[in-house]
Amino acid sequence: INELATRPMRFRSPGPIYRIVWFRPAELSVEPDRSKSKHEAREAWASVSMMPGSFNPSVSIRSMQATALNTARSNQPSVNSRADFSVAYQAGAGVQLNKHWSIESGIGYLSGRSTVESPGSMYNYNSSLVASMAPQLDASTAKNYYVTAVRNSVHPDANAASNYASPSNYDKLGNTVSAYQNYDNRYQQSVTNNFDYVQVPVQVGYQLLPSKRLGLSLLGGFLTNIFVRNTVGNDLVITSKDGVYRPLSVAASMGARFRYRPSQRWSASLAGMYQPSLGLGTRPESQIQSTPTSTGMSFGLDYHF
């Protein structure tokens, strides 16, 4: 301390002050990531699909038809419809609203086959008798309970073509034969039905497994069926102009879809669908009632934008 006390005091010469400032540059990758996520949430796609399955019109006859029968009998005639092969083709488009929800629509065409078991008449086996009473009608179809109800349901103002039977013909036949004509469940006949519909589906989807490559979604919505025609047997064609079936009917649509996406643009989908009708497919004045139901497995190919 004594030595330091004798040393003169000095001050350093003035000079610049050096400082090191640490800073983080703006993360430019944040904004592109956000815009990319928004783009993926609004992703759209177009698809084509084919759905083989089964179609059942669930046909029944109104009770008023019993007035033309022998109501005293305990064994009342009834019809039973069986599902058969059907195929539906569809082209549509969809939009991914967010990570889980999507909405889609399109247009399709359904060709559904079914078989109706209907009672015949004991007099159907005496074709000469029926032909003598109504030679203009085929004996094998004129004495079928279901076919008779379909023909009688044709509106009188409908344009009768060569493959249609005018209701007036059945009025004449009924006046002559109804007194002793009895349909019997023991004489069953099989009648084929080929239904054709144009379909407009609107459904939403919820993704259970949202992923880029594999995905599983639940689907639900509505299906508008536009009736085109029904071919009964081989020679009876019923269109919307005949007043038997409703031109428009609504069905529910529900199912699950599995999607595999190997690339950014293309994907393949497999979906199981159940589509029950929400109301009658026939008009109130028709003698027949129908509530169609279709089920199937859809195979689709999708292109993502």
Side-chain angles (χ1 to χ4, degrees), residues 107-120:
I107 187 169
Y109 187 84
L110 170 65
S111 176
R113 294 174 56 89
S114 64
T115 302
V116 177
E117 294 287 343
S118 175

Side-chain angles (χ1 to χ4, degrees), residues 165-183:
S166 174
S168 60
N169 294 332
Y170 266 91
D171 294 339
K172 296 177 183 178
L173 179 64
N175 294 333
T176 308
V177 186
S178 61
Y180 59 87
Q181 182 183 35
N182 291 316
Y183 291 94

Side-chain angles (χ1 to χ4, degrees), residues 61 65 69 102 143 145 154 177 190 212 219 302:
I61 307 296
Q65 184 71 4
L69 307 173
S102 64
K143 306 295 290 181
Y145 185 49
V154 176
V177 186
S190 297
K212 294 183 179 181
L219 303 176
D302 313 316

Side-chain angles (χ1 to χ4, degrees), residues 29-292:
S29 59
V30 174
E31 293 300 328
D33 288 343
R34 292 180 179 176
S35 60
K36 183 178 179 181
S37 62
K38 292 181 180 180
H39 175 71
E40 290 179 352
R42 295 293 180 177
E43 182 184 23
W45 72 87
S47 63
V48 291
S49 63
M50 180 184 68
M51 186 181 76
S54 63
F55 177 84
N56 190 348
S58 301
V59 174
S60 62
I61 307 296
R62 292 184 182 272
S63 59
M64 65 179 181
Q65 184 71 4
T67 57
L69 307 173
N70 185 4
T71 57
R73 297 169 56 218
S74 59
N75 187 20
Q76 291 296 322
S78 60
V79 298
N80 181 31
S81 60
R82 299 198 313 267
D84 208 336
F85 177 77
S86 67
V87 60
Y89 305 94
Q90 181 176 309
V95 177
Q96 192 71 33
L97 301 178
N98 51 42
K99 184 178 180 180
H100 291 281
W101 293 97
S102 64
I103 185 171
E104 54 193 89
S105 183
I107 187 169
Y109 187 84
L110 170 65
S111 176
R113 294 174 56 89
S114 64
T115 302
V116 177
E117 294 287 343
S118 175
S121 173
M122 63 184 68
Y123 299 104
N124 194 33
Y125 295 91
N126 190 353
S127 59
S128 59
L129 176 62
V130 177
S132 62
M133 293 181 179
Q136 71 276 16
L137 298 177
D138 180 66
S140 61
T141 58
K143 306 295 290 181
N144 184 282
Y145 185 49
Y146 170 68
V147 178
T148 300
V150 173
R151 291 179 184 264
N152 284 341
S153 299
V154 176
H155 195 273
D157 296 335
N159 185 19
S162 59
N163 56 347
Y164 298 131
S166 174
S168 60
N169 294 332
Y170 266 91
D171 294 339
K172 296 177 183 178
L173 179 64
N175 294 333
T176 308
V177 186
S178 61
Y180 59 87
Q181 182 183 35
N182 291 316
Y183 291 94
D184 198 327
N185 288 325
R186 294 175 298 176
Y187 306 103
Q188 290 291 325
Q189 296 177 340
S190 297
V191 181
T192 60
N193 286 255
N194 297 330
F195 286 86
D196 295 302
Y197 289 95
V198 173
Q199 298 181 315
V200 180
V202 176
Q203 59 187 9
V204 296
Y206 181 81
Q207 292 195 39
L208 297 177
L209 298 176
S211 110
K212 294 183 179 181
R213 186 171 294 270
L214 298 176
L216 178 62
S217 303
L218 297 180
L219 303 176
F222 298 95
L223 190 68
T224 301
N225 290 318
I226 305 174
F227 178 77
V228 179
R229 62 179 170 269
N230 177 27
T231 304
V232 182
N234 297 322
D235 57 351
L236 180 60
V237 179
I238 304 297
T239 65
S240 58
K241 297 180 180 180
D242 296 317
V244 180
Y245 297 93
R246 295 179 183 270
L248 296 176
S249 60
V250 179
S253 179
M254 59 194 77
R257 178 174 60 200
F258 175 79
R259 173 174 285 170
Y260 173 66
R261 188 171 179 178
S263 66
Q264 185 69 19
R265 293 297 183 182
W266 295 96
S267 66
S269 60
L270 176 66
M273 301 301 298
Y274 175 64
Q275 299 169 343
S277 178
L278 298 180
L280 289 176
T282 52
R283 294 180 181 270
E285 62 273 13
S286 177
Q287 294 184 8
I288 63 173
Q289 292 179 329
S290 176
T291 54

